[in-house]
Each structure stands twice: as C-alpha cells, then as structure tokens.
Amino acid sequence: MRLTKFTDLALRAVMRLAVSEQDGPLTTQEVAEAMAVPSAHMAKAVTRLQHLGVLEARRGRGGGLALTALGRRASVGWLVRELEGQDEVVACEGDQPCPLRAACRLRRALRDAQEAFYATLDPLTVTDLVASPTGPVLVGLAGHRPE
C-alpha cells in the first residue's frame, strides 16, 4: 500500500510538533520550512489535523501549533485511516465496473492486506514515532526563528 503525499506530510507535521515543547509553539510556516515543503501544502494538512482534533492552532502573539492530548496518544493506524479515507485498494465499482466483481477473490485479498497494513500501525502512537533517535533529528530540523 502506498500513502498519499498528503498523509505523509501530515504525519511528518505531527511528528515535528510532538517534539516542539523544547522550541515553544511553531507556526505552520516554521513546520513547512523544517519539512522542506510549501507552506500552502502544510496549511492544508494542518487544517485537516485540526478537524481531527489532533492539533490546535492559536492565533496572535504567543500562538502557534500544538498537539492535543489526542494527538500525542493517537494510534498511527487510526490517523492514517482518517487521512487516507476508507477507499478500497482497487476500485471494482464505478463507471466501468470490473466484470469479475461478483466472483473475484483478489478484491477480498487486497482488502485483507490493507487492513493488515493498518493493523501493523495501530499499536504505534505519535509519541512512539518520535522516540530516539527520531526526536533529536526532528528538533534539529527546526527553522530559524526571528528574535
């Protein structure tokens, strides 16, 4: 299974924010710079993560992005499911449905494989993802803050 670039970006943002207590709240721009992606792409990921309750954004002086308690303890499997959606690996229906759909064993096997992929991620939390050696590397990716 392959994750979308959007999911990859959102996961990297969550990981960076998980180690940001040392830096204080980060802005969307700072997270985008640390991850070397356009800020517009990061803003879309941040908006989706806010809707999921994984992070909160505060405006104004002293504001920025911060993970919520849910964001820290969230299962990576749950987060990926929410970001990727519940689509099947293969689209058997639609404008031109597959003629094998009534008797196909591949569809079920791919559905099982997709669930196994998520099940492997289910025990992991965001906190697990930023344990050493990853956390220190993420801190090192911080953009330069104006004083």
Side-chain angles (χ1 to χ4, degrees), residues 3 7 48 75-87 114-122:
L3 298 180
T7 297
R48 180 72 174 117
S75 159
V76 175
W78 171 81
L79 189 53
V80 171
R81 280 181 187 93
E82 292 297 317
L83 293 167
E84 287 288 315
Q86 297 299 319
D87 294 339
Q114 181 180 27
E115 189 49 43
F117 174 82
Y118 289 134
T120 301
L121 298 173
D122 283 338

Side-chain angles (χ1 to χ4, degrees), residues 87-93 98 104 106-107 110-111 114:
D87 294 339
E88 291 191 37
V89 176
V90 175
C92 299
E93 307 297 331
C98 176
C104 183
L106 177 62
R107 183 179 188 182
L110 290 172
R111 188 179 306 130
Q114 181 180 27

Side-chain angles (χ1 to χ4, degrees), residues 114-132:
Q114 181 180 27
E115 189 49 43
F117 174 82
Y118 289 134
T120 301
L121 298 173
D122 283 338
L124 294 171
T125 66
V126 172
T127 302
D128 295 331
L129 294 180
V130 298
S132 189

Side-chain angles (χ1 to χ4, degrees), residues 20-146:
S20 71
E21 306 87 39
Q22 300 163 8
D23 309 323
L26 300 174
T27 66
T28 300
Q29 180 67 38
E30 289 168 329
V31 175
E33 288 172 6
M35 295 297 125
V37 298
S39 61
H41 293 177
M42 184 59 70
K44 289 177 186 175
V46 164
T47 298
R48 180 72 174 117
L49 292 167
Q50 279 181 274
H51 285 112
L52 291 173
V54 172
L55 64 84
E56 61 181 18
R58 285 176 251 127
R59 294 184 175 267
R61 186 177 201 108
L65 305 174
L67 282 184
T68 62
L70 171 64
R72 293 202 172 286
R73 70 176 190 278
S75 159
V76 175
W78 171 81
L79 189 53
V80 171
R81 280 181 187 93
E82 292 297 317
L83 293 167
E84 287 288 315
Q86 297 299 319
D87 294 339
E88 291 191 37
V89 176
V90 175
C92 299
E93 307 297 331
D95 294 340
Q96 294 182 324
C98 176
L100 299 174
R101 72 185 178 278
C104 183
R105 297 179 69 175
L106 177 62
R107 183 179 188 182
R108 179 67 186 169
L110 290 172
R111 188 179 306 130
D112 291 347
Q114 181 180 27
E115 189 49 43
F117 174 82
Y118 289 134
T120 301
L121 298 173
D122 283 338
L124 294 171
T125 66
V126 172
T127 302
D128 295 331
L129 294 180
V130 298
S132 189
T134 307
V137 172
L138 285 163
V139 171
L141 296 177
H144 298 288
R145 290 177 156 236

